Amino acid sequence: MTLGVCLVSTLGLGLAAVFDTPDPAPRRYAAAPVVVHADEKLRVLGGGGHLTRALAERLGLSPEVVAAVGTTGPVVIDRTFPAGVLGGPTDQVGHPWAAAAFTPYDLTAGRGPELDDEIVLGAGPGALGERVRVLTADGPGTYTVVGRTRVVDFESAVFFTDPEAARLSPRIDALVASAPPEAIARAVHGTAHVHVRTGDARREAEPTTERGREDLDNTAILLGVSAGVAGFVAVFVVASTCAFGIARRNGEFALLRAVGATPRDVRRTVLREITLVGALAAAAGCALSRPAAPALGRALVDERLAPSAYTVGWSYLPPLIAFVTGLSVAWFGAWTAARRASRVRPLEALRSATVEQRPATLGRVLMGLGCVGGALAMLVQAVIAEPASALNRKQYIPVSMLLITGVAVLAPILVASLARALARIVRPTGPGARLALANSLAAPRLMASIAAPILVTVGLAGALVGVSDTVVEAKVSAVRNTVDADFVVAPRNTAGLNRAVVDQLRALPSMDAAATVPTTVYGVEGGAALIPRPAHAVDPASWVRVTGVRVVAGSLADLADDTIVVDEDWTARTVGQRVAVWSADGTPVSLRIAAVVHGDPGAFVTTRYAGSSQADAVYVKLRPGIDRSAAEAGLHTATRDMAADVVPADRWGEQSARGGGRHNRAGIAVIVGLAVLYTSVAIVNTTAMATLDRRRYIARLRLAGATNGRVLRYLAGETLIPIALGVLFALGVTAVQLTGTWIAALRYAGPTDPVLPWAALAGATVIATALALAATVLPARLAMCSSPIREIEAQS
């Protein structure tokens, strides 16, 4: 109870901190008096008012705005553009040196650039006086390093002279002015889409601000899903442990009933106990979450799963929710068990203290069947109607939890049935094996109580890891099936492939090359949501020769400046239908749907809508009769010193699909890790309780002549039965979940190999088995420290 409430409260505090985390103070413009920049948000009038989204394409300031601000006093022009030293950090960007005066980039060595072939570097290779190769959007250039600045954590900069920066990037992204902000505001009054920023608002002019917000959104998703699964595991463990703790006291309740206690008296006694113990345990859990929550925040920042500004503080609402939830769950678990114990007659209760008469009630059976049926219905509906949704963790995690809950509720019936089947199949001959099977048949609820946390541990590990890896394989297949090429040239940096390398690849003889440029189109859905949709800008003539996308309707040959190719994720999917969208720079445009393609590879538009983005890939297809090795050598020659990799097309799908989704992988790791950690405690707790309850049984075995070693082997053998049954149930849950996911992957992406999570299953099984055996042997060994006769007398 303490650990469960602590876990839920800690994750709740972490989630609350996401919404309380303020935007960071200005960093790049920390010393700028006033910053003027373009309003780079798309605003569209919808049914509920204005809908707003950040634009993917930077707009820049017009010459008129620059001139108007210049009339107020000295102005420094700032630009941000792709520029990286070969072999340097993958996120390098270029700036004019004049803007460095208002940033944290203090010179640590050398001087500022004075000639157009001189640069100043922050991070990355390049000693003073060294000539280095710098890649920009147009292509490579050679520059001399004349200065070094201190390294900052929000970007890696390359500084050029102001004229050279203007040549490389004509767009003006911001102005740093020193006149009073009121004067600047009057100068640009009447100019649309221009902001004048001072104070903390200067951060809105920094490109890293929007990225920080996206990182915070990813942190919220990660913590939200983790909190949901942690809450499920905590509810499951606390309720089942409380129910087990009440059920093991049937003999005590039988005596109470025999001396005149009414069923109401029994229920009241149990609920008073659980209120006292539960309140103390929940309060302790809330107290533990106070140091645990900040530690969680620091760990997320250290692992780059949260922005640097993220910190977890203390608030009373998440611990209060965890306290009330934990106490309510404990009440529910105790009430159901106490209700069952209080409804039997005294003599029947005394008999049930030795041999369980009925493994499960009708209500329990109906609840278990409802959970299993609901999970299967959700899985089948998603696989048939929307295969892509079945591959989303918002879908498969609830299905896994429902399946595990249903199987755990039905576990007493399943344990009894499987134990009988095992007895008929194995036909044990040794006394230890016969004794273990007899005890399993006599106490199916006890066996189910031990098997349940093992089911959760192994089931969550197997189902979530297996499904997650199968989803990755589906994405690999989806990417691979959209390419009908022999090679793919991919960038090593985040900026993309420069125009020079793209032109060189297109000029190579004996092969067709087509580049894709990432962009975004925006559309309004239902009048209430402005949706940014990923798109690829392509040259239709060359793209149709290398693409492998499967056309559902229409023709790819009809792609033109006034048409668009959409995927099945779009609401509008009728060929010939016109859709009103906005391009990456916010320009409204009406496009006719030329074709609909299978899956969700994104939309396809012509290069007219590419903006300033660089290509994220060049697909190369060899013409008939061309030697593959010679062609590959030619590709390597063309891309040498261009920060580009030549990848065989069959490996490109794997590299592309596995290259992203870090938060998804981290989310699964956090979810499974928390579940295994907490259910490991439940395994130890439940098994130790069951073992300590059998001290009289242990004493009788010893009086019958069994040595201490043989008794320990008997008990370990009995524990292995519920362990094996729990693992078997977990394998069943994993198999059902993986089968549904695999079928969805086949329908979504084509041929996909399911990933069997042998490592996760084996690891979770080994951990669960070791803990359960230790929780059996150690308490039993402790119980054998006293005389068996004295132990029987103490238990009488």
Side-chain angles (χ1 to χ4, degrees):
M1 179 81 167
T2 299
L3 292 174
V5 170
C6 175
L7 183 61
V8 174
S9 177
T10 298
L11 289 170
L13 287 168
L15 189 59
V18 171
F19 304 102
D20 294 336
T21 299
D23 285 328
R27 294 183 290 181
R28 187 156 184 280
Y29 294 120
V34 182
V35 180
V36 181
H37 70 101
D39 179 10
E40 293 170 343
K41 292 187 180 296
L42 174 62
R43 291 177 173 82
V44 176
L45 186 62
H50 280 93
L51 308 175
T52 305
R53 284 282 184 176
L55 288 171
E57 179 75 11
R58 302 203 69 178
L59 300 179
L61 296 169
S62 67
E64 292 77 16
V65 171
V66 176
V69 176
T71 63
T72 65
V75 171
V76 174
I77 293 176
D78 190 21
R79 311 171 196 268
T80 301
F81 51 92
V85 177
L86 191 65
T90 59
D91 61 343
Q92 282 185 313
V93 293
H95 297 297
W97 176 245
F102 307 101
T103 69
Y105 289 105
D106 300 323
L107 268 177
T108 58
R111 58 173 175 82
E114 297 173 354
L115 303 176
D116 288 347
D117 66 343
E118 295 178 344
I119 59 172
V120 171
L121 294 177
L128 292 182
E130 183 180 352
R131 299 281 286 176
V132 296
R133 188 179 177 90
V134 179
L135 298 176
T136 63
D138 289 332
T142 304
Y143 297 82
T144 302
V145 179
V146 296
R148 301 286 306 207
T149 69
R150 73 182 184 93
V151 178
V152 299
D153 62 353
F154 57 86
E155 70 174 10
S156 301
V158 180
F159 290 100
F160 300 82
T161 62
D162 293 0
E164 180 67 2
R167 183 186 71 82
L168 295 173
S169 178
R171 184 189 66 215
I172 298 175
D173 294 309
L175 300 174
V176 177
S178 55
E182 297 81 7
I184 299 173
R186 286 195 300 270
V188 299
H189 179 68
T191 305
H193 311 302
V194 175
H195 288 297
V196 178
R197 305 288 191 184
T198 59
D200 287 344
R202 291 169 297 173
R203 63 172 167 258
E204 299 299 330
E206 300 178 351
T208 55
T209 299
E210 195 62 37
R211 291 200 298 269
R213 289 168 180 159
E214 292 175 0
D215 291 343
L216 206 57
D217 289 342
N218 289 331
T219 304
I221 295 172
L222 169 62
L223 290 174
V225 176
S226 300
V229 176
F232 157 74
V233 175
V235 167
F236 185 95
V237 169
V238 170
S240 61
T241 303
C242 288
F244 176 62
I246 302 302
R248 63 199 278 261
R249 297 168 60 191
N250 276 349
E252 175 188 333
F253 297 144
L255 291 175
L256 289 175
R257 293 295 312 281
V259 296
T262 66
R264 184 180 179 185
D265 293 332
V266 173
R267 290 195 297 270
R268 256 191 324 200
T269 300
V270 170
L271 293 179
R272 284 172 180 169
E273 288 180 8
I274 203 64
T275 300
L276 176 61
V277 176
L280 292 174
C286 293
L288 284 176
S289 68
R290 187 153 196 162
L296 171 68
R298 291 191 295 271
L300 291 175
V301 173
D302 292 342
E303 294 298 322
R304 294 185 299 134
L305 297 175
S308 57
Y310 175 74
T311 56
V312 182
W314 177 261
S315 61
Y316 289 97
L317 184 58
L320 178 62
I321 294 174
F323 180 92
V324 173
T325 302
L327 194 57
S328 301
V329 169
W331 259 59
F332 175 76
W335 180 79
T336 53
R339 183 169 173 267
R340 180 176 181 271
S342 65
R343 291 170 66 180
V344 296
R345 297 184 179 90
L347 291 179
E348 185 179 345
L350 286 172
R351 185 170 63 250
S352 68
T354 305
V355 179
E356 297 175 4
Q357 299 299 309
R358 187 171 60 168
T361 62
L362 177 61
R364 187 184 185 109
V365 173
L366 293 177
M367 180 181 175
L369 292 177
C371 289
V372 173
L376 293 177
M378 289 174 60
L379 186 60
V380 171
Q381 189 274 336
V383 169
I384 294 175
E386 289 187 77
S389 69
L391 306 180
N392 190 308
R393 66 183 178 184
K394 293 179 181 178
Q395 172 75 21
Y396 64 73
I397 289 179
V399 170
S400 298
M401 293 192 295
L402 265 181
L403 273 176
I404 289 172
T405 302
V407 174
V409 171
L410 296 173
I413 300 173
L414 299 175
V415 163
S417 302
L418 289 174
R420 292 189 194 96
L422 187 63
R424 286 194 295 268
I425 295 173
V426 177
R427 295 188 181 277
T429 55
R434 290 201 301 270
L435 190 61
L437 278 175
N439 283 332
S440 299
L441 290 171
R445 280 181 174 269
L446 175 62
M447 295 295 104
S449 297
I450 299 174
I454 294 172
L455 161 64
V456 177
T457 302
V458 182
L460 275 179
L464 297 188
V465 173
V467 170
S468 176
D469 289 346
T470 301
V471 168
V472 172
E473 287 301 317
K475 292 180 179 178
V476 169
S477 298
V479 172
R480 186 179 297 134
N481 292 337
T482 61
V483 179
D484 184 21
D486 297 290
F487 298 97
V488 179
V489 179
R492 294 177 192 163
N493 53 38
T494 57
L497 297 168
N498 59 73
R499 284 185 283 273
V501 71
V502 173
D503 292 340
Q504 288 182 28
L505 293 171
R506 285 173 174 164
L508 290 175
S510 67
M511 60 186 72
D512 296 317
T516 59
V517 179
T519 185
T520 304
V521 293
Y522 302 85
V524 175
E525 290 194 0
L530 182 59
I531 307 296
R533 293 190 177 277
H536 311 274
V538 298
D539 172 51
S542 58
W543 175 64
V544 294
R545 293 195 291 267
V546 301
T547 185
V549 293
R550 180 150 55 96
V551 179
V552 176
S555 172
L556 300 180
D558 293 335
L559 180 60
D561 288 346
D562 63 343
T563 63
I564 185 172
V565 173
V566 302
D567 60 29
E568 291 181 313
D569 192 45
W570 280 58
T571 304
R573 297 199 300 263
T574 304
V575 174
Q577 179 181 354
R578 284 207 165 268
V579 290
V581 296
W582 288 260
S583 61
D585 62 0
T587 303
V589 60
S590 176
L591 301 177
R592 179 175 56 84
I593 296 179
V596 180
V597 295
H598 175 70
D600 57 354
F604 295 90
V605 294
T606 63
T607 51
R608 174 181 177 181
Y609 306 101
S612 61
S613 299
Q614 298 177 209
D616 62 353
V618 175
Y619 301 95
V620 178
K621 185 175 184 178
L622 304 182
R623 292 170 186 167
I626 301 302
D627 181 71
R628 183 180 180 90
S629 300
E632 185 173 4
L635 290 172
H636 282 289
T637 301
T639 57
R640 184 176 295 120
D641 295 335
M642 287 289 192
D645 292 318
V646 179
V647 183
D650 56 349
R651 284 179 44 212
W652 162 248
E654 181 175 352
Q655 178 175 325
S656 176
R658 297 185 196 278
R662 184 171 181 271
H663 276 269
N664 286 337
R665 294 192 300 273
I668 295 299
V670 169
I671 291 166
V672 173
L674 290 174
V676 170
L677 177 65
Y678 185 47
T679 53
S680 296
V681 176
I683 290 171
V684 173
N685 192 43
T686 305
T687 310
M689 288 167 63
T691 303
L692 290 173
D693 279 348
R694 307 177 71 192
R695 283 173 293 185
R696 181 186 293 185
Y697 170 70
I698 294 171
R700 286 174 177 172
L701 287 176
R702 294 170 66 196
L703 288 176
T707 63
N708 288 353
R710 177 161 291 183
V711 170
L712 292 178
R713 288 195 295 273
Y714 284 165
L715 295 175
E718 288 183 15
T719 302
L720 285 174
I721 293 177
I723 291 174
L725 294 175
V727 172
L728 185 62
F729 296 155
L731 290 175
V733 169
T734 302
V736 170
Q737 181 75 77
L738 268 182
T739 300
T741 304
W742 178 56
I743 296 173
L746 288 176
R747 301 191 65 235
Y748 164 77
T752 301
D753 294 329
V755 179
L756 301 177
W758 296 120
L761 288 171
T765 300
V766 169
I767 292 173
T769 302
L771 291 173
L773 290 177
T776 298
V777 172
L778 294 179
R781 190 69 187 84
L782 185 65
M784 289 187 288
C785 292
S786 60
S787 166
I789 296 177
R790 188 177 303 164
E791 190 68 39
I792 291 177
E793 290 175 350
Q795 297 293 318
S796 299

